[in-house]
Amino acid sequence: CLVYVDGLLRGNVAAMTQFQTQEIVLSPGGHAITWSYTFNPVPLVVFPPIPADYIAAIFIDDVYFLPNGATTMPPTAGPSMKVTSIPENPVSIAPTSMPPGATYYDGFEQGTFPDGDDEWTTVGDGSWELTSERAASGVYSIRSPDLSNEELTTLRSSVTMTTNPNWAGGTLLYSVLAGVNMPYDNCLVYVDGIVEGGLSDMTEFETQGIEVGPGRHTITWTYTFNPVPLPGFPSIPGDRIGAVFIDDVYLRPIDAIPMTPSPTVSIVSTVSPSSSPTPSPALTTVAPTSIPPGAIYYGGFEKGTFPDGYGEWGTAGDASWELTTERAASGVYSIRSPDLGLDNITPFTSNVTFFTNPAWNDGTVVYSVLSGVAMPYDDLILYVDGVIRDNLSNMVEFETKQIQVGPGAHQIVWSYRFNPIKLAVMPPLPNSHIGAAFIDDVYFLPAGFTSAPSTGPPASLPVPGTAAPTIVVRPPTAPPTDQSPISVSPTPPLAPTTIAPTSTPPEALYYDGFERGTFPSDIEWSVAGDGLWELSSERATSGVFSIKSPMLIDADDTPTKNANVTLSTNPTWGDGTLYYSVLAGVNMPFDDLLLYVDGELRAELSGMTEFQVEKIELGPGRHTITWSYKSNPNQLDNFPPLPSGRIGSAFIDDVYFVPGGAPGLPAVPTGSPIASIGSTTTSPSVVAANTPSPNVASVDEFFDGFETGDLTALDWSLSGEQEWMVDETKPFEGIFSAHIRTDDISTPDGFAQLDLGVDLATAAFVQFYFYAPVSMPFESFNLQVDGQFLRGLSTEDETWAEGGAFLSSGLHTISWRLEKNPGGAPEAALENLKPPAYRLGEAWLDNVALLGATPSFLETWESGDFTANPWMLSGVGDWRITDSDAFEGANSATIKSDDIEANSGISELSIDIITEQGGTLTFRILPSVSGPFEEGNVMLDGIVVASYSSPMSDWIAQEIAIQPGKRKVTFQLNKNSGGIGAEQIGFIPSPAGRKGQMWLDRIQFLATVEP
């Protein structure tokens, strides 16, 4: 049973045998408190024996609200707690050094703690108490209890200060001597119920600080004895104190005069006035060493109680993941895969799962991992919502990984497997083999916050898009508070839900035109966020009704908020196409509409004035399609004037699903849905040319690498401040690149823009490379098309990034815009704001190219080489043309494992496909491969859509749905992907029929055309 407040996980309620009284501290205004009961949350396939006293239910009773100043609840069987009115004046009658400007001070010199200090409470296995043993000033301080015991039972005690709701924001400063040491004991600090850091290993008082916003907040210090817990302790150091002391607690308002507390001040958190503060940098101790600003969840396992106390985590399998002090990315603890032993070679599997909060919007899960595993002994597989995302192995130190997720609940599983290929005899074990995986520092960043650079490749593979990969920049501010979904999404019905469809498409398995007027009660739909999508008769593409995004902003109010609507498809459906009509009457920087498919960002929809038909190609099974309306995505403090004619809302209508092979309606495609792999069929919406032709661009292509040393090679123009230049400071390749600097923009909120006008007879793709170490709120670097914001561009390391956009036929202006202080922040505030280390405040642009659309083609390798179409060879070992085997004709393309001379390596054959309407790619493949020796992969934009690891003796036919935009299709042979040593792999027998080779033939692309 998990407890959520305003969608944020606040606690895990479990293992009770009688009623207990619990308390939740709230700030003013509306809040949602949710108790979420889950059966078999791990989930387990088989339960252990059920205890005789197991109740198996949650009971809630006597719920009431006490305003500030009221007395606390009557005593119950639960722990005693004291909450009384909070004084506004200092409570210390004999302060030893009342800090200048402080509106509150307690040095505990009254000698009445806790009875005489109404803002303080203590609860737990023992009580904090007044002491004269040590003090930062005066005579008294407060001290944690002595919880040591011969049985080494884990015991805890907390002391909490509750601030006055009438106080303004400021800095709460306190002196602390945390004479605790792991693994004996520790002290964690919580702000409004969220862990902020830990305190330890001190030998004298230190001053710490917490920035708090206006209103009521709770600051809790929790002392724990034997937090791991350990069955026995190592030798206890002779100088160990074994207690925590707190003294001289005072509040300095924001506008108070400066003071110099002694000895040092360490600001550890920033708390907003809401009841859902944002965790921030932690205290310098065993707890998290650097919680990134903006994280709304952090798990560094420093509680020392895993899996107890971590309701969002579960572990299952043949053994359990466990808490360990063996290795850690920061602090003392991490979690570790179980030691399943090498003496017994029976294959075992153990999983650990992180369940994200269903109320979270899109963002990034960041984690540190040390995967000291190696094939064939063991491996570690990462799954997101049941889909394999990464194979983590051969690490010798912690690496930071990232997973991009969309709104809603997700399951992230790390699956450790011992002897995964079921060897009867293990090869000799390398000396460097760790044989375990460690995970630490797991946190969630809402969209718009930037995590620390990864030390390895991101766990979420690149997602197909209508443009090359770019980085969206949003200024870091507090994330929006989400509400829990108001309707669930069970399995949708197979039949259409609309009883009065205005135009049910032929062959559609599902149709909703919202004419029933029952949205959002239709079980396949759900809504969530700061506002709710609703039924509307304001606009419709057919009939009377559509669904409309809520109004979250106006000209005088600029909050950053989210509102999501989600369609869950029927899990029994096969592959097919989901069509929908959308009017995205939104405009940056005011608002935008993002499309997610299965949690992955697929498209950005904006700038529409009438309904457009869009489509999403889906593979078989259940999918979630989410339209996320966002107000003020860049979190600006002030908006420019609203454009005339602006709609300011998004509308969706006529949503229907057509199975594969059934006729669909013509559509204007968008987005980047999941590629589906299946047996080859010819889609009726795909029209093949009578004679497949070579890949020749249908429009004039161009390229400018700025090697003329100026802007004369193309029809370039400048707008705003005329500061763009061509120089030799940092080219992508060659000698020159285009360059702009923030410091060259003279006005505080000015911009400098490089424009390129094009006139296209047909659709095309503009591709470019950029290096932009910029950071909000100092500046932003954006790509615009026809004056409309398309995406932000930034880089955080020393490497260039590829960008691009797909353009329809006609006249267009492509713009690269560097804007200084786009949010209009006061100059004094910018001067006092420390920029990130990577920021240079400059941007470079190079190798701008226009690429024409790909026509339909058929490749049968009869040319005897790779010149008939624009194939690209990469990696080690070369693909070649052979007549040893062919599906038809004389030749095929092939690659052998032996062609890769090293013990492991990758060889790839790729082709770029650029389309306005999408299409279908079919191919024949003969994979005579077997893991762990080698595996064959087919990838679409870096995502594996087909994989082969067992030898086959006959050709198989495959099909890939190609979405609109620029796509890269790659045929890959990956030799020894597990990195098994040459001596070890020699012990593994090769299966019958394996040749260690892959053949490829009859590759046909059929471009979708308007009927």
Side-chain angles (χ1 to χ4, degrees), residues 89-92 94-99 102-109 119 137 247-251:
N89 299 318
V91 301
S92 180
T96 54
S97 57
M98 172 71 79
T103 59
Y104 168 87
Y105 173 84
D106 197 347
F108 307 104
E109 296 304 311
E119 68 277 20
S137 66
D247 201 0
D248 292 342
V249 183
Y250 59 97
L251 178 77

Side-chain angles (χ1 to χ4, degrees), residues 481-492:
T481 300
D482 298 331
Q483 299 173 359
S484 298
I486 66 168
S487 66
V488 297
S489 301
T491 302

Side-chain angles (χ1 to χ4, degrees), residues 59 142 170 256 308 317 342 462 489 501 510 530 535 594 609 615 752 769 779 840 887 909 928-929 950 978:
F59 299 86
I142 58 174
D308 296 332
L342 288 173
S489 301
Y510 168 87
D530 299 300
L535 197 69
L594 303 179
T609 57
K615 71 176 183 178
Y769 292 86
E779 68 274 307
L840 298 178
F887 175 75
L909 175 66
S928 182
V929 296
S950 298

Side-chain angles (χ1 to χ4, degrees), residues 624-646:
T624 58
I625 297 91
T626 298
W627 294 266
S628 181
Y629 171 77
K630 294 178 179 288
S631 64
N632 193 9
N634 286 338
Q635 301 172 344
L636 302 180
D637 294 328
N638 297 288
F639 278 152
L642 293 169
S644 60
R646 171 179 145 76

Side-chain angles (χ1 to χ4, degrees), residues 96 107-109 131-135 137-141 247:
T96 54
F108 307 104
E109 296 304 311
T131 182
S132 58
E133 181 181 343
R134 298 168 187 258
S137 66
V139 175
Y140 294 112
S141 67
D247 201 0

Side-chain angles (χ1 to χ4, degrees), residues 676-681 920-927 938 945-948 952 955-961 971 1000-1004:
S676 59
I677 293 291
S679 59
T680 55
T681 60
T920 303
L921 185 81
T922 59
F923 58 91
R924 303 298 193 275
I925 191 167
L926 175 57
V938 181
V945 295
S947 186
Y948 315 97
M952 297 185 182
W955 291 83
I956 56 175
Q958 300 274 250
E959 177 182 288
I960 302 175
F971 302 93
L1000 185 65
D1001 203 358
R1002 191 176 172 76
I1003 304 171
Q1004 185 173 23

Side-chain angles (χ1 to χ4, degrees), residues 776-793:
M776 288 286 288
F778 304 99
E779 68 274 307
S780 65
F781 186 49
N782 300 321
L783 172 68
Q784 298 186 358
V785 175
D786 299 330
Q788 296 292 320
F789 173 89
L790 190 60
R791 56 183 51 85
L793 307 171

Side-chain angles (χ1 to χ4, degrees), residues 656-723:
Y656 62 97
F657 177 79
V658 177
L665 297 181
V668 181
T670 189
S672 310
I674 296 173
S676 59
I677 293 291
S679 59
T680 55
T681 60
T682 301
S683 172
S685 62
V686 178
V687 179
N690 291 332
T691 304
S693 58
N695 186 12
V696 179
S698 59
V699 297
D700 292 336
E701 298 181 345
F702 61 68
F703 175 85
D704 193 354
F706 303 103
E707 294 307 303
T708 59
D710 52 28
L711 296 173
T712 61
L714 297 176
D715 188 20
W716 295 102
S717 61
L718 302 177
S719 52
E721 299 194 20
Q722 313 286 294
E723 298 297 340

